[in-house]
Amino acid sequence: MPLTVGFDLDMTLIDPRPGMAAVMDAVAAESGYPLDGAHFAANLGPPLDMVYRGFGVPEEDVPALVDRFRALYPEVVIPATVALPGAAQALAAVRELGGTTLVVTAKYRKNAALHLAAFGWEVDHLFGELWSTGKAEALKAHGAAVYVGDHVGDVRGAKAAGAVAVGVVSGPCAADELTAEGADVVLPDLTGFPDWLRANADRLSAGAASSPAPR
C-alpha cells in the first residue's frame, strides 16, 4: 500500500516565531488587550481563538482579532520564517519512497499555503484550522500511517487517527511530555526522520500504524 505521512507545520517544518510574536504584539497595540507576543510565540500549537481566550479576550471580540491577525500575517510572518533543520529532507524522503505527503495544521490554510510556497515545498494535501484530535479526520481520510508533530496535541491527533505518532522536540513540548502523551517515537528534530522512515517504510506501508511503532 502507498505510504502516507502527515506533518504539522509550526515548529515541526517551520519556525515562524519572530513574525508571530510581532503580529500578536501589533494586534495588542491596536486592540488594547494584554496580548503577549513572546509568550504566544514560545507556545505555538493551539488555534488563535483558543489563544485569545487564554489572554482574556471577550468572546464577542475574538472573531475580529482572529481576522486582524490573519490580515497582518502575510507581510510580517512569511518573510521572517525559516525552515527547521531536516524539514525539506523529511518531505523529500516521503516522495522518494513513492509516498503521499499531508500537512495538517491549526494554522489558517491560506497562510499555511503561503509558507509552503515560500519554501517551494509541494505537498499532496494541505489542511488548516485543525487542532489536536480534530486532525484525525483529515489523517484518516487519507490513510496516514504516520503523523509528525512537536506538540502533545499532535500526538493526540495521531493516536486518534490510528497513525504512528512521531514527536520532534523542536517546539514547546519536551521529549518526556511527548512520550507521556503516547508518542511512539521521539526525535530531537527532523534531521533523523528520513533514515527512520526508510528503515520502517515497509512495515508502515503494510499497515504497521495499528501496531506498536518500530523504533
Side-chain angles (χ1 to χ4, degrees):
M1 292 178 61
L3 176 62
T4 299
V5 179
F7 295 89
D8 176 49
L9 187 59
D10 285 351
M11 301 313 300
T12 298
L13 292 171
I14 64 171
D15 182 353
R17 288 175 296 182
M20 296 283 265
V23 171
M24 185 61 74
D25 286 340
V27 174
E30 292 180 4
S31 67
Y33 286 115
L35 312 174
D36 185 337
H39 177 80
F40 166 60
N43 294 277
L44 296 179
L48 270 178
D49 57 348
M50 186 182 298
V51 171
Y52 283 136
R53 292 184 190 105
F55 281 129
V57 175
E59 192 64 33
E60 62 270 20
D61 288 345
V62 167
L65 294 193
V66 168
D67 288 345
R68 185 57 180 151
F69 187 100
R70 290 174 175 172
L72 293 170
Y73 194 103
E75 295 300 320
V76 178
V77 185
I78 300 298
T81 297
V82 298
L84 284 169
Q89 293 83 356
L91 293 169
V94 180
R95 291 203 176 275
E96 289 165 10
L97 292 166
T100 296
T101 52
L102 314 177
V103 169
V104 186
T105 174
K107 189 183 295 297
Y108 182 43
R109 187 185 186 282
K110 181 177 178 181
N111 287 336
L114 291 176
H115 279 298
L116 297 178
F119 290 110
W121 294 342
E122 294 184 4
V123 300
D124 295 292
H125 304 283
L126 170 61
F127 297 89
E129 299 178 71
L130 296 175
W131 163 243
S132 190
T133 55
K135 297 186 174 189
E137 183 176 350
L139 295 170
K140 288 191 290 187
H142 291 277
V146 180
Y147 185 61
V148 187
D150 66 286
H151 199 283
V152 292
D154 299 322
V155 176
R156 293 174 192 143
K159 305 306 280 187
V164 171
V166 176
V168 285
V169 193
S170 47
C173 297
D176 58 350
E177 293 178 88
L178 297 169
T179 300
E181 195 61 40
D184 299 295
V185 180
V186 177
L187 304 172
D189 54 35
L190 286 175
T191 57
F193 180 77
D195 285 344
W196 176 86
L197 186 66
R198 293 184 191 106
N200 296 292
D202 289 344
R203 233 181 116 175
L204 293 166
S205 297
S210 60
S211 65
R215 295 180 184 271

